[in-house]
Each structure stands twice: as C-alpha cells, then as structure tokens.
Amino acid sequence: MSGPRIGQKEYLETSPGVAEVTFVEKEPAECHTIISWEQQEQRVTGLQESCHQEQGLQKNSCILPEDLKNFYLMSDGFQMTWSVKTDGTPMPLGSMVINSVSKLCRLGGSSMYTLPNAPTLADLEDDTDEEGDGDKPEKPHFDSRSLIFELDPCNGNGKVCLVYKHAKPVVSPDTEIWFLDRALYWHFLTKTFTAYYRLLITHLGLPQWQYAFTSYGVSPQAKQWFNMYKPITINTALFSEEADSFVNKLDPNKVFKNKNETPVIKKKPPSQPAGSQKSHTSMTSSKTSSVAGNSSRK
C-alpha cells in the first residue's frame, strides 16, 4: 500500500496553494505485538478519552481482519498531513490517520466520568433502535453485543471505528468500518479495511470528509474545500444543484495567487490646468451670449 501514499504525496505537492505535505514513516508492527493485542487484556476508553486516559481492563478476544493485519505488518499506522498557504502562512487542512496497534483502543462500557455510578456509553443504547431496516446494515452497539475499536480520531469531528458487531456468544470474525459522528449516530462506511483505506486516500484527508457518507452531508465550509480540491472519486449525488447554489466556485489558482506581484497601474489621461478650464468656459459663455444677441437684433 506504499504506492498510493507516495502517489498522493506527489499529487498534493503539485496542487495549487498546498504547502508542507508531511508523511510520517512508520516501522512495521511486530507479529508478537499483534498477537498480544488479540489475546491480552486491553484498556477500554470512554468517548472523550484518548488512549492515554484508560478507564478499565477488558479482553479483546478477537482476531484482526486479514487485510488490516497485513497493513500493520507493513506499517504500524499511517499519518499524512498537509497545509494550504494563506497570506504567506501555512494553515493545516488535510489529515489522514490510521492508529497504530498500540492506539487501536476499544470504545465500550467504561464510565465516561470518574464519579461513582456515572453513565457509560452502554447507557446510550435504546432497545427500540432499528436492527438492519431493509437494505440498511445493523448498527453497532456500545454494550457487550459489539466490540468497537478506534481507527481514526478524525481531529475531533467524530471517530472512524473497526466494528465487530456480533460479540456473543463468541466474537464473529466479520468486521466493518463505521463512522461515529459527534451526535453519537452511526454511519456505515465500508465492509473491509482495504475499501476504507481507498476512501481515506482518495478523499485526501479533507476536513469532515466522512460526513459525505451521512444523510446530512458535509458543512458549507467543508464544501468549499471539496470544490477546490475535489477528491479523485466522489459521490456527486451528495452535492446536488440546490446545495451548490450557495457554494462559491473558487479557483485555487486565483485564491492562492501571489499578492506580492506588482500591480498594473492604468495611466489616466492628463488633466487640463484650472486656468485653461476657466478660459474655455468664459469663451463658451461669450459665444453663447453673442449668438443670443444677434438673434435678438434680428
């Protein structure tokens, strides 16, 4: 999978206004690290905690999907960021992240607070939730019915998760990739990690790109960036004509044009001296009066 990474780096570096494309090289994960993750007890985090703020111990007791395991054996995680230059100052914009094995932390039923009897993510479960309505896949559960692991923190805009939806009586090896938005709603992304990796690469890590796969779509501000740096593959149905009607069509070549260029000064026609203007006015008025006088004499 190193080919797409290098290709995306070169593509971004040649895009208008893009600056500071950073790709962090990762060493391959050790086999024993992956085996330990699958078999040993792992820390469980609440929704707002990072992997460094553990809250409880639970066993994973699950096997990583083959494509994700192969990815980790080549690179223990993935990180590429890029900025755009505005007014000569780089501004962080794109971010593509896949957590390392050590940061592949579980979201689960641990308390979100340190207080006794505090609510947990499992308390958000509703027995009336739809269980695979029609063509829609069954949604993950925060309780013991599912195992959920964080793949990407999405810069605080949500979480991309590796989900084992059926954990009882034993963990099913079937996994899917889901997006959990800030309102704690689930949105299906892909069946496999490989398919998700392609989505991540082709969407260039643009802000909030995961929301393009929700019913409410990306924000107007994010649409501006989508219009400037259109992903290689994008569902155009998500950007209807009505939605585009209030989105400015920006040209990156004009937006990031160097402001230090010497402006072209248009020459103005020479203005007449004040004295000449007065004499011209008096001559005109005298001619007018003489003509009027002649006509009256007639």
Side-chain angles (χ1 to χ4, degrees):
M1 294 185 181
S2 59
R5 305 174 196 172
I6 298 173
Q8 285 304 92
K9 188 173 186 295
E10 293 176 349
Y11 173 80
L12 286 168
E13 288 174 339
T14 57
S15 298
V18 173
E20 297 184 3
V21 181
T22 304
F23 171 54
V24 180
E25 292 281 353
K26 303 277 189 178
E27 294 293 327
E30 300 289 340
C31 288
H32 67 82
T33 303
I34 296 176
I35 295 173
S36 297
W37 183 91
E38 293 175 334
Q39 296 180 352
Q40 294 180 1
E41 291 180 330
Q42 297 290 325
R43 295 287 181 180
V44 181
T45 69
L47 188 63
Q48 301 298 328
E49 290 75 30
S50 68
C51 291
H52 301 289
Q53 296 173 301
E54 298 94 350
Q55 298 210 347
L57 280 171
Q58 290 186 13
K59 285 189 176 182
N60 287 341
S61 302
C62 56
I63 305 299
L64 280 176
E66 199 65 24
D67 53 356
L68 181 56
K69 185 182 297 185
N70 291 334
F71 174 85
Y72 280 134
L73 290 174
M74 292 188 295
S75 176
D76 190 9
F78 173 58
Q79 182 177 352
M80 182 183 293
T81 58
W82 53 281
S83 306
V84 293
K85 187 169 289 188
T86 57
D87 293 331
T89 304
M91 181 189 73
L93 184 66
S95 177
M96 291 173 269
V97 173
I98 294 174
N99 284 339
S100 62
V101 176
S102 63
K103 292 184 178 180
L104 193 62
C105 297
R106 181 177 171 186
L107 300 179
S110 64
S111 173
M112 292 183 286
Y113 309 96
T114 56
L115 299 174
N117 302 321
T120 67
L121 289 175
D123 293 326
L124 298 174
E125 290 295 334
D126 187 355
D127 292 336
T128 61
D129 284 347
E130 297 178 356
E131 299 294 334
D133 182 17
D135 296 333
K136 296 180 181 179
E138 177 187 349
K139 295 180 180 179
H141 299 280
F142 289 117
D143 57 22
S144 58
R145 287 175 286 178
S146 301
L147 295 179
I148 305 167
F149 300 93
E150 180 187 303
L151 275 176
D152 181 2
C154 304
N155 285 332
N157 291 315
K159 293 180 184 292
V160 172
C161 299
L162 173 71
V163 177
Y164 297 77
K165 286 196 298 186
H166 305 289
K168 285 188 173 184
V170 294
V171 180
S172 169
D174 298 329
T175 59
E176 294 174 345
I177 308 299
W178 286 72
F179 175 59
L180 179 66
D181 67 20
R182 288 177 58 88
L184 304 183
Y185 286 102
W186 286 106
H187 309 276
F188 175 77
L189 291 179
T190 62
K191 283 278 189 183
T192 65
F193 170 76
T194 301
Y196 169 73
Y197 182 79
R198 292 195 186 105
L199 280 184
L200 174 67
I201 293 296
T202 56
H203 282 81
L204 308 176
L206 286 165
Q208 304 174 19
W209 71 264
Q210 296 89 353
Y211 283 87
F213 295 87
T214 67
S215 59
Y216 30 87
V218 299
S219 66
Q221 182 181 7
K223 283 184 181 180
Q224 298 284 9
W225 295 116
F226 268 74
N227 285 328
M228 293 179 65
Y229 301 101
K230 288 187 184 298
I232 297 172
T233 59
I234 185 170
N235 184 357
T236 54
L238 298 171
F239 296 89
S240 63
E241 293 181 2
E242 293 182 359
D244 280 344
S245 61
F246 61 86
V247 177
N248 294 331
K249 301 296 184 179
L250 299 180
D251 184 353
N253 294 303
K254 294 180 180 179
V255 172
F256 299 105
K257 190 175 182 180
N258 190 353
K259 294 184 178 181
N260 295 325
E261 292 181 359
T262 304
V264 178
I265 301 175
K266 295 182 178 180
K267 293 184 179 180
K268 295 182 179 179
S271 58
Q272 295 180 348
S276 62
Q277 290 181 357
K278 289 182 179 179
S279 61
H280 178 74
T281 305
S282 60
M283 290 174 63
T284 306
S285 60
S286 62
K287 287 182 180 179
T288 305
S289 61
S290 62
V291 171
N294 294 333
S295 61
S296 64
R297 287 172 190 157
K298 290 179 182 179

